[in-house]
Amino acid sequence: MTACAIEDGTAAAVEAGETAETVETVEPGSDEPNGAAEPPDPAADAARNGAAGAAAEAVCPPVVPQRPTAETVLPTPAFTITANGAYAARLTAARPEVPENEVPENGDTAWFPERWTLDGPEPYAVPLPLNQPEDAGSQVLPLTDGRVLIRRRVADGHTLSLLYPTGPGTGELLLGAVECDELTLLPPSPDGVSAYALSTGAYSTGLWLVAGGSNGPEQIAELPGRCSGGVWLDRAGRLLALDREPAGGGPVKAVAVDLGRGAEMTPLLQIAPDSDDRLLLADPDSGLLLIRSDAPGHDRLGWGVLGSCLPVRFPECLRPADAVVTPFAVQPGQMLMPESCAVALRIDGAAGSWLGVWRPAGRRLHQLPVPEGWLAGSGVWSREGVLALPYANGETACAVALLTAPADEEPAAVRGPAGYPENGMQPSGAVAPPSVCRPVPLGQAPLVGRTVPLVGRTTTD
């Protein structure tokens, strides 16, 4: 299987198998109505999605979202949710009941771990404070058994412990220590009991099993180059995608690491020879991938499908004016239907952070308001298309707002004849003869159940 980069060509022409010589990228028009992104409008969204919202109310009474404010920002440290959506964990500021002798004298914020339970009748949070506050640079990771893994920085490295509630107090099980300069926990493993971390050096990256093993933290592989990111490609917790920069510098490419075969590394994304191709999200059920790449000439958010011969596409609607868009959750359970998956995106602009919902088939970015105190960039989809947004504010310390993914209007198949008004839903790329490209080999990744790798062609859609 070969891959190629097609620029300034229509998706239909590409899918038809037509090829031509590679040309420079030409910016297409926007596929947003009137060619511009509009701010969230709660009234309009409520009217458009009234029927869908009734389904969410049957599950749980939704919290009425408020307009985004400047206070809605990504918390530091972050809010992490298990792969099955049952638990979450974060570091939170000291609560009023914390004794004064546990608050730093210098006035700095005192951080304590907190575990959220999300799969019950209603969400609730359990504080997990110890004898002294945590450093803001510590990381917490929830496990599906209700315990929380914490990584702390110490003088000569990092320590790892499991925290769990014990009546009125907090229990701690020390797992061990890792001596290295930098240690970063990877996203929660799909198996729910294992936890992995990366220690990045100048020329190589150590892959560590820090929880779920038999003898404490152990290094299971030394990967060449500097690796970062971390996206799970399957439900078993065997296939891990990392963004790898070659030792000595070079373009960043996503690679697949097979933990079942001794951490064997194979190429996963190679859209163009010199492009930075990073994997942001993956849905194991449908094979939908969310990608960030500069193959179109500048950094863009795109999507592709594992095992598909279609090109990687970079929708114009995912580039709203004066805002940055970052995907954080994909609707699961859409077997063999990647284009119907709803994707939740965090949109950061001058007014703060708010929510975007987009489907590849819809080709439209819905911009929606969020509840006050939304833990920006966090949320989890149900298989039915209901998005749970965790939030905490002055009125509640733990709550979840439910939002049903808005329906997409049917886009026009082609542009209307000259003189006809356009409705803003026409194809974003200009109609032009397709370009032929020189094939670029794409490495065969060890993807279970898939025999064809993702084709690294690109097009604006």
Side-chain angles (χ1 to χ4, degrees):
M1 180 59 64
T2 58
C4 56
I6 295 181
E7 301 174 356
D8 194 27
T10 64
V14 174
E15 294 170 15
E18 301 175 4
T19 56
E21 196 170 14
T22 303
V23 296
E24 293 185 358
T25 302
V26 177
E27 286 299 318
S30 171
D31 59 357
E32 285 291 312
N34 302 323
E38 298 180 358
D41 187 346
D45 288 328
R48 184 170 58 249
N49 303 309
E57 291 181 1
V59 179
C60 178
V63 176
V64 179
Q66 304 296 323
R67 278 191 178 273
T69 64
E71 288 75 26
T72 308
V73 295
L74 179 67
T76 302
F79 188 86
T80 305
I81 305 175
T82 56
N84 66 355
Y87 291 100
R90 66 166 180 162
L91 292 182
T92 184
R95 297 167 306 285
E97 65 269 20
V98 174
E100 293 183 359
N101 59 359
E102 295 185 13
V103 178
E105 296 180 358
N106 57 11
D108 293 342
T109 302
W111 298 98
F112 293 91
E114 185 178 69
R115 188 200 70 191
W116 288 38
T117 300
L118 302 175
D119 62 347
E122 61 182 49
Y124 65 92
V126 176
L128 298 172
L130 292 171
N131 295 329
Q132 63 182 21
E134 305 290 346
D135 185 82
S138 301
Q139 275 186 285
V140 291
L141 193 78
L143 304 180
T144 54
D145 62 4
R147 295 183 295 179
V148 174
L149 175 68
I150 184 168
R151 175 202 58 79
R152 301 183 180 99
R153 180 68 190 240
V154 294
D156 54 352
H158 304 263
T159 61
L160 297 124
S161 298
L162 289 174
L163 306 179
Y164 51 93
T166 57
T170 301
E172 180 176 13
L173 174 63
L174 180 63
L175 298 178
V178 176
E179 295 185 4
C180 63
D181 291 334
E182 298 295 334
L183 186 70
T184 303
L185 297 180
L186 291 174
S189 171
D191 68 10
V193 296
S194 303
Y196 296 85
L198 297 177
S199 61
T200 304
Y203 303 101
S204 63
T205 302
L207 177 60
W208 292 78
L209 175 64
V210 295
S214 57
N215 299 310
E218 59 176 315
Q219 184 172 350
I220 59 177
E222 187 75 20
L223 306 175
R226 295 176 58 86
C227 296
S228 59
V231 176
W232 294 99
L233 300 175
D234 66 342
R235 295 291 183 192
R238 171 175 171 172
L239 296 174
L240 174 66
L242 298 172
D243 300 328
R244 174 182 174 271
E245 179 184 357
V252 177
K253 302 290 183 183
V255 297
V257 178
D258 190 342
L259 303 181
R261 302 182 62 178
E264 180 182 46
M265 178 188 290
T266 53
L268 179 63
L269 288 177
Q270 184 172 307
I271 300 177
D274 298 327
S275 62
D276 290 333
D277 308 322
R278 294 178 170 87
L279 183 61
L280 304 182
L281 282 179
D283 175 50
D285 296 331
S286 64
L288 178 67
L289 303 180
L290 277 299
I291 299 162
R292 190 173 295 280
S293 174
D294 59 3
H298 45 274
D299 198 55
R300 294 284 295 271
L301 183 62
W303 68 279
V305 180
L306 284 171
S308 172
C309 294
L310 298 177
V312 176
R313 305 179 184 182
F314 296 89
E316 186 69 14
C317 67
L318 296 184
R319 290 208 309 164
D322 301 323
V324 177
V325 176
T326 306
F328 63 87
V330 181
Q331 179 185 359
Q334 306 300 296
M335 301 293 183
L336 304 179
M337 297 191 301
E339 295 177 344
S340 67
C341 291
V343 180
L345 308 104
R346 169 183 168 176
I347 305 177
D348 294 304
S353 299
W354 60 97
L355 177 68
V357 175
W358 164 83
R359 294 182 186 89
R363 301 176 61 189
R364 176 177 180 180
L365 177 62
H366 300 271
Q367 300 190 45
L368 307 172
V370 293
E372 181 182 357
W374 175 45
L375 303 176
S378 62
V380 60
W381 286 103
S382 71
R383 292 176 176 264
E384 294 74 26
V386 177
L387 178 63
L389 297 175
Y391 69 96
N393 53 40
E395 298 180 356
T396 177
C398 174
V400 171
L402 300 182
L403 183 146
T404 301
D408 291 312
E409 299 177 10
E410 191 69 25
V414 296
R415 293 183 182 272
Y420 278 63
E422 296 185 355
N423 61 7
M425 296 301 292
Q426 286 76 18
S428 59
V431 178
S435 309
V436 174
C437 64
R438 177 175 57 84
V440 177
L442 179 70
Q444 183 77 23
L447 302 175
V448 176
R450 303 185 188 276
T451 58
V452 183
L454 175 66
V455 175
R457 294 177 290 170
T458 70
T459 181
T460 50
D461 183 15

